[in-house]
Amino acid sequence: MQLTVVTPTYNEAENLPGLVSALFGLAIEDLSILVVDDNSPDGTGQVAEQLAQNYPERITVLHRAGKLGLGTAYIKGFHEALKAGAKAIAQMDADLSHPPEMLLPLMEALKTCDVALGSRYVPGGGVDVRWSQWRKFLSAFGNLYARTILGLPIHDVTGGFKIWRRETLLGMPLDRIRSNGYAFQIEMAYVAYKLGYTFQEVPFYFADRRWGSSKMSFVIQREAALRVWQIRLKYRQVRPY
Ligand SMILES: Nc1nc2c(ncn2[C@@H]2O[C@H](COP(=O)(O)OP(=O)(O)O)[C@@H](O)[C@H]2O)c(=O)[nH]1
Ligand SMILES: [Mg+2]
């Protein structure tokens, strides 16, 4: 099955080469990578271009003028992957917190569902043992909060490690998705759920990045908490695209 991995990057020059070689080392035939870089000051865009030369036809790089957010980066990447004919579209962070080898069980799960979701909050999954109690609490609470308010049947609502079937993404009103950061993950999951698409959660252990720094912040978390209510209202009625 033709799988395209979409990865948004902002200052991931240290991480991208490792991600690319791990992905191409997997026993997945017909895997390609789509990098969406926002003119990273650390030169990630050039690193990506170099990698694209090393793996002709297998890596595509989209450059945007500046930091426009994770949500719009994914939407652009999804449109592009669909245009190129991908049968399955994965979304994952470039910082190796989403273990590349987990794509294998996720692809397996996708055979019997519409969205395969890497999940930190089902038995067998977890978050970095080095996370502080406060950070663990915020993440677990944020998930429970969004899951409860939206009535979602999944446990990792803010998780960004997923594989979508082509047909699933084609059925989603992608141009209505306006959130960024954690809220983007929540909005995508909610719309998919409201449209009747099925999820399967595959546990994984989320290890903190070793290079670079997180672009998520308390402000983005607070914004997501408010967005949950807006998302609930916005999609009271949603029709397939
Ligand atoms: N293109 C683009 N990528 C972004 C942006 N913000 C975050 N990212 C990327 O999105 C992924 C997740 O961000 P990260 O900072 O690791 O979030 P965290 O894992 O929740 O701490 C990483 O690959 C980032 O480089 C953005 O504004 N534009
Ligand atoms: Mg990260």
Side-chain angles (χ1 to χ4, degrees), residues 81-230:
L82 289 169
K83 218 188 298 167
K87 296 277 188 299
I89 298 98
Q91 54 167 99
M92 67 193 289
D93 292 2
D95 59 9
L96 294 162
S97 288
H98 296 154
E101 67 277 11
M102 289 304 299
L103 286 176
L104 296 165
L106 284 166
M107 283 297 277
E108 194 55 36
L110 196 67
K111 290 180 180 164
T112 54
C113 66
D114 300 312
V115 192
L117 168 65
S119 184
R120 298 162 295 177
Y121 297 114
V122 289
V127 294
D128 202 305
V129 288
R130 292 165 299 183
W131 275 21
S132 68
Q133 288 302 107
W134 172 241
R135 189 161 173 211
K136 280 190 188 144
F137 166 78
L138 265 187
S139 175
F141 177 79
N143 268 285
L144 184 66
Y145 171 94
R147 170 180 146 82
T148 309
I149 290 167
L150 297 173
L152 279 166
I154 54 176
H155 298 83
D156 196 342
V157 183
T158 57
F161 191 20
K162 303 188 181 85
I163 310 185
W164 302 85
R165 274 175 186 277
R166 173 184 183 81
E167 298 72 29
T168 311
L169 278 187
L170 283 175
M172 302 263 296
L174 293 179
D175 296 331
R176 287 189 71 189
I177 310 286
R178 286 291 145 77
S179 305
N180 268 308
Y182 295 113
F184 170 75
Q185 314 297 355
I186 301 171
E187 186 168 353
M188 286 290 288
Y190 189 57
V191 172
Y193 164 69
K194 287 285 273 192
L195 290 171
Y197 292 119
T198 56
F199 289 81
Q200 200 173 313
E201 289 186 271
V202 176
F204 83 100
Y205 174 78
F206 181 101
D208 254 341
R209 56 166 69 242
R210 293 181 46 210
W211 299 97
S213 56
S214 172
K215 279 106 236 167
M216 301 304 161
S217 61
F218 186 66
V219 175
I220 291 179
Q221 291 187 352
R222 197 180 54 196
E223 198 180 295
L226 292 173
R227 284 283 302 166
V228 168
W229 293 98
Q230 290 173 355

